[in-house]
Amino acid sequence: MSAPRSDRSPWNWLLVIPIVLPLITPFYNFDSPRLWGFPAFYWLQFSFILVGVITTSIVYQMTRKPPAVPAGDRTTSPEASDE
């Protein structure tokens, strides 16, 4: 029987930010300032997408497991192959 899978990491709490941020409408429920003619409501929505991409990337990088090393490669070191 295999060990139970553990995906619990404190880094996963960062994923709450892109979920909760768009739900707080007082942050972006206004018309000005305008950016390239777009009201703040619209360009802030697009910035929330960027926040989601950035936080998801950070969580992925911090929680991914290192690649498995094949059994034959464990005994040789990179320094030994240079000689």
Side-chain angles (χ1 to χ4, degrees), residues 3-77:
R5 184 175 164 180
S6 175
D7 288 338
R8 295 189 177 143
S9 170
W11 288 102
N12 291 340
W13 283 104
L14 279 178
L15 296 174
V16 171
I17 294 170
I19 294 171
V20 172
L21 192 61
L23 297 176
I24 307 173
T25 55
F27 281 157
Y28 59 93
N29 191 18
F30 47 88
D31 186 50
S32 62
R34 289 180 171 255
L35 185 65
W36 298 303
F38 290 102
F41 177 81
Y42 291 109
W43 61 264
L44 282 171
Q45 290 287 320
F46 285 117
S47 69
F48 294 157
I49 294 170
L50 292 175
V51 168
V53 169
I54 291 168
T55 55
T56 303
S57 298
I58 290 170
V59 170
Y60 172 74
Q61 292 295 323
M62 299 308 289
T63 59
R64 73 178 183 170
K65 293 179 175 50
V69 178
D73 292 344
R74 291 183 190 164
T75 58
T76 59
S77 66

